[in-house]
Amino acid sequence: MPSRAVLVTARYLVYLSIAELVTALYVITTGLSLYHARIMAYAALPTFVVGVAVAYASSSLRGQLGPLARALQTLTLSSAWAVGASGAYAAATGYRLPLGVSILAFGAFVAGLTPFSLRKADVRASVLALGYTQALGGAALLLSGGQGLYAQALVFVTLEAVGAIYAVTLHSFPSTFGDSPSLPLTTLTLGLLTLGALTFLWGLRCYQAILGASMILSFLAFKGHRIPRYHAKAKGAANPIARGGTLFFLYGHAFAFASLLAVGGLMVSSVRFSVGVLYVIHAVTLGVISMFILIHAPMMLPVIMGWSSARRYSLAPFILEAAGAALWPLNMHVSFFFVGLAFIFDALIVKPSGEPLPLSLVR
């Protein structure tokens, strides 16, 4: 169980990210699209990722911590607060140097916790990958000063947020079903992420193609192709709430992996066809990042935030989010309506009530 300092840090950074998300959604209605992009890319997303990451990394630590581990954990928490503060500053002013430095430091400190994590290979790989991808995102932000806002936002978001998704998923998805990730393919997936970080200054199309290839490969690396095999195990749970939670986790990953394949294919196709950067950004954020948030939020946030959970698991959030992502190129406002509904239904999973949600998985 993470310490009180960890939970307080995670809790208030998540609260801050929610306030920033609401602000970003409001300003887009007023036509301030540049501020919407800055708030989302520099504040809401990285603050949320870092807030959850401190709890995730700390939960992996084993037993009593020695002086070095406690010092690293304190530095991790301090740098997480720095990310929250510098992200808000970058969103307001456009000045990104403090944010890049703080995320780079946060990633380094998280990676430093790896030797103190549980001795399971996939747990340590997950913590190390989490720290590495955060540091990679920070370094890219520091080096991309000459890029336009949308190009820079795409690079930063995919490295920092999608990188965090890779780091968590390589452990959480296969281990839930008694499996482990493919080490060679996981290494190659993260290697492509690194290669993309090294090449984005040469051209956004090259970067998109490499990152798209990593998304497609992650499906195999993290055992997405074994979903039909895992389904039988998920259905076998005797307790209806436990069964519903496992099916929610499994079906959510089915939607998420489908999104990774679709968005990865879109990014790879940018080598041959011109794909607008705004379309790619929203495909990544609505199709991939939001889908993974919907999976983990009803399971992780009640612990972080100190909420009780009714565990009314339902397929509705994933279907609504998929509709929102697909509709964005056609009508942004209708898309956001469906995305908003997806997050409302995700929150209703936690809300105490005796009534099942539509498309309930708890039977």
Side-chain angles (χ1 to χ4, degrees), residues 27 30 38 48 51 92 153 155 159 196 237 240 243 267 273 278 287 306 310 314 318 323 325 331 333 359:
V27 299
T30 65
R38 277 169 33 178
F48 180 81
V155 172
L159 290 176
R243 182 171 60 249
M267 295 180 78
F273 304 102
L278 276 179
S314 163
F318 306 127
N331 189 303
H333 302 291
L359 302 175

Side-chain angles (χ1 to χ4, degrees), residues 72-305:
L72 278 170
Q73 190 175 50
T74 300
L75 290 169
T76 300
L77 298 182
S78 300
S79 59
W81 284 109
V83 170
S86 59
Y89 182 73
T93 66
Y95 186 58
R96 302 173 295 270
L97 177 62
L99 176 61
V101 171
S102 59
I103 290 185
L104 181 59
F106 175 78
F109 296 139
V110 169
L113 292 171
T114 304
F116 309 102
S117 299
L118 299 173
R119 296 186 185 277
K120 285 187 62 179
D122 60 335
V123 173
R124 291 195 167 186
S126 180
V127 174
L128 180 61
L130 180 60
Y132 175 70
T133 54
Q134 296 308 289
L136 196 64
L141 190 61
L142 292 172
L143 294 172
S144 60
Q147 302 287 318
L149 172 60
Y150 294 132
Q152 186 184 75
L154 174 62
V155 172
F156 178 55
V157 163
T158 47
L159 290 176
E160 199 259 351
V162 177
I165 286 169
Y166 288 171
V168 172
T169 306
L170 74 87
H171 163 65
S172 66
F173 181 67
S175 70
T176 297
F177 302 98
D179 209 345
S180 57
S182 165
L183 181 58
L185 293 181
T186 296
T187 302
L188 185 53
T189 298
L190 294 173
L192 288 172
L193 197 73
T194 305
L195 180 61
L198 294 173
T199 59
F200 76 92
L201 293 175
W202 301 344
L204 198 59
R205 286 192 181 188
C206 180
Y207 172 81
Q208 289 182 158
I210 294 171
L211 264 292
S214 81
M215 290 181 177
I216 294 169
L217 189 61
S218 71
F219 172 75
L220 299 173
F222 308 147
K223 304 299 178 70
H225 58 290
R226 293 191 178 177
I227 285 176
R229 184 186 305 180
Y230 297 159
H231 185 260
K233 187 171 184 177
K235 292 281 286 186
N239 183 291
I241 293 179
R243 182 171 60 249
T246 307
L247 288 173
F248 176 83
F249 190 76
L250 181 73
Y251 293 150
H253 277 87
F255 277 91
F257 280 125
S259 297
L260 279 168
L261 292 172
V263 176
L266 175 69
M267 295 180 78
V268 169
S269 71
S270 67
V271 172
R272 178 65 179 84
F273 304 102
S274 178
V275 182
V277 66
L278 276 179
Y279 288 101
V280 177
I281 289 173
H282 286 89
V284 171
T285 53
L286 301 181
V288 176
I289 297 172
S290 293
M291 198 68 77
F292 277 97
I293 290 174
L294 290 170
I295 295 169
H296 291 283
M299 299 178 174
M300 291 186 69
L301 290 188
V303 176
I304 293 173
M305 310 301 281

Side-chain angles (χ1 to χ4, degrees), residues 39-97:
I39 295 169
M40 288 300 301
Y42 302 146
L45 274 173
T47 300
F48 180 81
V49 169
V50 166
V52 174
V54 292
Y56 180 80
S58 295
S59 68
S60 75
L61 299 176
R62 61 179 195 275
Q64 290 294 109
L65 301 181
L68 179 56
R70 286 199 302 271
L72 278 170
Q73 190 175 50
T74 300
L75 290 169
T76 300
L77 298 182
S78 300
S79 59
W81 284 109
V83 170
S86 59
Y89 182 73
T93 66
Y95 186 58
R96 302 173 295 270
L97 177 62

